[in-house]
């Protein structure tokens, strides 16, 4: 592996980990300052935002990533972007309008959470923003701008969101303050990423290209299977919050969300250390070094137990 690829991998890794840490910090600020009920409303609203964005994109960000990486000429990239943007703007605005119309019904008859409707209305305005941001992020990734991608994929939006949460005045209703903060982070991230993309390829936004209709079908054929795959991953990650939101209150959703994030943070070390130990165990077992293998396992078990007990005592 050459040095450039190694640096790119490190940037992506720390950008992803940094984004997770800031997402946890964002959750912590909401939970400490506004309580479990507000956090529960944010959790359900964020889930709907992710779901709406995923459906509205129809896998076009994945299709864009493939085609942006495949075609190097700026004129080809312009055609790709324009084709995807035409579909994206229609789908995202259509889904946003539907969500705006049914927001009151979702609050009164489905989730039965007071204050959820206003948050869903805010989400409906954010869906086109997040959809466009994800396509632009796909362009950055395809063109090798990994540092910018790492910063703004998750890290930037939650970092800006945390700053907004800390500077917002006290008079704002806590019910929707978290979505305002996240929305501000998304809008600012979109503006910055848009400026970076324009600086990298100004031709991308020229309006004089003619796009054959057949290419639109090509992008959809590539994107829709990715939508199905993304749907599976989404429901695996959010089905617990969805069911809890359907059967219980926003306070219980918020409490559960904090507990899950703490558990995920604790399990990260176990997962990482398990991945490190796996080849060591395999090698020693293959070489019949049973005594050394037992020593390694006892040492690992001791460290894992100490860490687990320390976490339980601290929390």
């Amino acid at each position: 592996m050459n040095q450039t690829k190694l640096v790119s991998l490190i940037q992506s890794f720390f950008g992803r980990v940094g984004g997770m840490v800031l997402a946890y910090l964002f959750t912590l600020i909401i939970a400490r300052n506004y309580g479990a009920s507000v956090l529960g409303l944010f959790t359900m609203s964020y889930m709907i935002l992710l779901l709406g964005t995923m459906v509205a994109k129809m896998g076009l960000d994945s299709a864009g990533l493939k085609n942006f990486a495949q075609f190097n000429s700026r004129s080809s990239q312009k055609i790709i972007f324009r084709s995807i943007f035409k579909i994206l703007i229609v789908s995202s605005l259509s889904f946003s309008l539907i969500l705006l119309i049914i927001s009151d019904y979702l609050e009164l008859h489905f989730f039965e959470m007071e204050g959820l409707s206003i948050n869903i209305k805010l989400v409906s305005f954010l869906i086109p923003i997040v959809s466009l941001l994800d396509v632009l992020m796909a362009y950055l990734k395809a063109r090798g701008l990994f540092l910018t991608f790492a910063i703004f994929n998750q890290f930037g939006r939650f970092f800006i969101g945390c700053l907004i949460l800390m500077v917002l005045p006290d008079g704002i209703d806590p019910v929707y303050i978290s979505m305002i903060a996240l929305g501000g982070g998304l809008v600012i991230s979109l503006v910055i990423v848009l400026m970076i993309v324009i600086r990298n390829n100004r031709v991308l936004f020229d309006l004089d290209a003619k796009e054959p209709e057949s290419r639109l079908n090509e992008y959809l054929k590539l994107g829709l299977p990715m939508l199905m795959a993304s749907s599976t991953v989404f429901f695996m990650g959010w089905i617990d919050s969805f069911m809890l939101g359907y059967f219980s209150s926003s306070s219980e959703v918020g409490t559960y969300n904090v507990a899950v994030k703490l558990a995920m943070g604790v399990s990260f070390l176990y997962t990482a250390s398990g991945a490190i130990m796996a080849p060591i165990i395999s090698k020693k077992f293959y070489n019949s070094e049973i005594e050394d293998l037992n020593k390694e396992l006892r040492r690992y078990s001791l460290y894992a137990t100490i860490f687990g007990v320390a976490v339980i005592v601290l929390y």
Side-chain angles (χ1 to χ4, degrees), residues 263-278:
M264 288 176 63
V266 172
S267 65
F268 179 79
L269 179 62
Y270 289 111
T271 304
S273 57
I276 295 171
M277 285 296 297

Side-chain angles (χ1 to χ4, degrees), residues 201-220:
N201 187 359
R202 188 179 297 274
V203 178
L204 205 65
F205 297 89
D206 287 350
L207 301 177
D208 58 346
K210 301 297 182 182
E211 168 61 22
E213 192 67 26
S214 60
R215 295 295 295 275
L216 302 179
N217 295 330
E218 178 185 334
Y219 300 142
L220 285 174

Side-chain angles (χ1 to χ4, degrees), residues 205-272:
F205 297 89
D206 287 350
L207 301 177
D208 58 346
K210 301 297 182 182
E211 168 61 22
E213 192 67 26
S214 60
R215 295 295 295 275
L216 302 179
N217 295 330
E218 178 185 334
Y219 300 142
L220 285 174
K221 286 179 181 178
L222 181 62
L224 289 177
M226 298 304 299
L227 170 62
M228 301 304 295
S230 300
S231 300
T232 303
V233 175
F234 173 84
F235 285 112
M236 287 177 61
W238 286 94
I239 190 64
D240 50 353
S241 296
F242 178 87
M243 297 302 293
L244 196 61
Y246 182 78
F247 287 108
S248 61
S249 65
S250 59
S251 296
E252 292 185 23
V253 175
T255 303
Y256 174 78
N257 185 261
V258 172
V260 167
K261 280 184 166 47
L262 289 175
M264 288 176 63
V266 172
S267 65
F268 179 79
L269 179 62
Y270 289 111
T271 304

Side-chain angles (χ1 to χ4, degrees), residues 4 23 25 32 46 48 91 107 115 174 191 207 210 218 235 243 254 261 265 283 288 301:
T4 303
L25 178 60
R32 284 189 171 274
Y46 188 60
I48 294 171
S91 62
E107 176 183 329
V191 171
L207 301 177
K210 301 297 182 182
E218 178 185 334
F235 285 112
M243 297 302 293
K261 280 184 166 47
K283 181 180 179 180
S288 299
S301 299

Side-chain angles (χ1 to χ4, degrees), residues 109-172:
H109 303 290
F110 198 83
F111 291 112
E112 298 182 1
M113 292 183 181
E114 184 179 355
L116 184 62
S117 175
I118 184 65
N119 281 282
I120 295 177
K121 288 180 171 67
L122 291 172
V123 164
S124 67
F125 289 104
L126 292 176
I127 287 175
I129 293 171
V130 180
S131 300
L132 178 57
L133 180 59
D134 286 348
V135 171
L136 293 174
M137 297 303 293
Y139 172 82
L140 293 175
K141 190 174 183 180
R143 304 319 303 166
L145 300 173
F146 292 106
L147 180 58
T148 307
F149 173 82
I151 292 174
F152 289 100
N153 187 40
Q154 289 293 332
F155 183 89
R157 61 187 72 178
F158 281 109
F159 177 72
I160 298 170
C162 289
L163 293 179
I164 293 175
L165 268 182
M166 291 187 287
V167 301
L168 280 174
D170 296 332
I172 299 177

